[in-house]
Amino acid sequence: GNGLVIISVCIVKKLRQPSNYLVVSLAAADLSVAFAVMPFVTITDLVGGVWLFGKVFCNVFIAMDVMCCTASIMTLCIISVDR
């Protein structure tokens, strides 16, 4: 769904408005959570909560998690102010 939102705003010229750019930003932030964070959380949950990806990537993962989730939250805040 998020990919379709991004594609539709990029393709349809009538949808290229500032408020829709905020929706595209939210879709991109949600996609980043889906691809950069959720697969590792899912695998960790499936193996009983054991982190299998090493200590260095654990720190990278935490940084990606905080960055992606914060981007999503901040975009929601900006959309609420815009509306």
Side-chain angles (χ1 to χ4, degrees):
N2 288 322
L4 292 175
V5 167
I6 294 170
I7 291 169
S8 64
V9 171
C10 289
I11 291 176
V12 180
K13 290 186 180 191
K14 198 172 186 179
L15 294 176
R16 294 182 193 167
Q17 298 173 359
S19 61
N20 287 340
Y21 290 140
L22 293 173
V23 175
V24 169
S25 175
L26 180 61
D30 288 345
L31 277 176
S32 69
V33 170
F35 289 124
V37 176
M38 292 308 295
F40 302 105
V41 172
T42 304
I43 292 171
T44 301
D45 286 344
L46 288 175
V47 297
V50 178
W51 184 256
L52 302 174
F53 305 104
K55 191 173 184 177
V56 173
F57 187 70
C58 180
N59 291 328
V60 172
F61 169 77
I62 291 171
M64 288 188 315
D65 186 19
V66 170
M67 180 183 63
C68 295
C69 291
T70 302
S72 182
I73 292 167
M74 294 303 288
T75 305
L76 283 171
C77 290
I78 293 170
I79 288 172
S80 69
V81 169
D82 182 58
R83 302 291 161 137

